[in-house]
Amino acid sequence: MFYHNYSGWLREHYQGKITKICIDGGFTCPNRDGTCGTGGCIFCGERGAGDHIRLNALSIEEQTTRFIRRNPKSSGFIAYFQNFTNTYAPVDVLKARYDAAMQQERMVALAVGTRPDCITEEIADLLQSYMAKYDVWVELGLQTADDDTALRIHRGYPRAVFTRAVEILNARNIPVVAHIMVGLPGETMEHLERTVAYLNTLKLWGIKIHSVYVMKDTILEKMYLNHEYNSMSMDAYTDCVTYVLTHISPDLIVHRLTGDCPPDELVAPEWNLMKNDIIAEINRKMEMHHWMQGCLYESEGFR
């Protein structure tokens, strides 16, 4: 394998079949309720990152119980709070919702997707409290290290906030997975290079690389239809991903190599639906050039 992939880490770490339960925890987002913005990031659909889940009518207990019942061969499960901002509530509310998932049998890990501006010392303490019994990690949306792009995509916080959130989590030894996006409006290869250089200054456990796709009923769709945004080709995207893989730390766990858009919500590009082909092309390019993860890694280079 040309990189440390997440599925391989699961097999090695747990020595059994482990399945992730994507949970809708009933949260919203400060970039939607007016706290720092409305409408969300320009690429975000009505159901957030977990648009495919569509289980918000079910309780957390019902979601996890149903999933576990349907996967009897799994030896363990990861509770992944995915939709919107899963630390955006008072600590007592967060605890009640996390507990609702973790009380199920065969749970081995708690994974929480959130925004860095919704990480506090108190929330980090709560997350750390689960580490006595479970593996815990936090997934933080960065998308880009460029603050001008952040304004363009309506992200709602500067890069320094991400840095501080990682520091808070690092202080408690809570692993951090950074999400980045390739193909954001106005970004060039230089922007991606700076994002990777920035990530290499941080103590991270993993990375998720997402392709930018245009979903229905988003600001990005309006930009696309008005010819203000053009999707990149699959060849350009896979070139960018191989750059990321060869320049990130060789120790990072690669959790994702592309984004998944529900087919009925996708506007462009069509190749986004060809996940197996995308991954095969990334692997082909890595093999062709005799590249491995981190073979061009430099720990310092961001200014």
Side-chain angles (χ1 to χ4, degrees), residues 180-200:
I180 66 170
M181 298 185 75
V182 175
L184 290 167
E187 291 222 325
T188 64
M189 191 64 192
E190 183 178 352
H191 290 91
L192 180 63
E193 291 170 2
R194 284 181 56 77
T195 293
V196 172
Y198 167 68
L199 292 179
N200 286 341

Side-chain angles (χ1 to χ4, degrees), residues 2-17:
F2 308 105
Y3 43 86
H4 295 305
N5 69 329
Y6 175 62
S7 59
W9 177 84
L10 286 177
R11 288 191 299 271
E12 181 180 348
H13 185 70
Y14 292 109
Q15 300 293 310
K17 179 177 173 56

Side-chain angles (χ1 to χ4, degrees), residues 94-107:
L94 297 177
K95 186 177 188 306
R97 296 185 189 183
Y98 300 158
D99 286 350
M102 303 312 291
Q103 68 184 1
Q104 304 291 341
E105 293 184 5
R106 290 183 286 160
M107 302 302 288

Side-chain angles (χ1 to χ4, degrees), residues 262-283:
D264 62 331
E265 296 291 329
L266 181 67
V267 176
E270 292 185 1
W271 58 260
N272 178 260
L273 300 176
M274 302 162 58
K275 185 173 183 178
N276 291 337
D277 291 343
I278 296 168
I279 295 174
E281 181 63 7
I282 292 167
N283 291 338

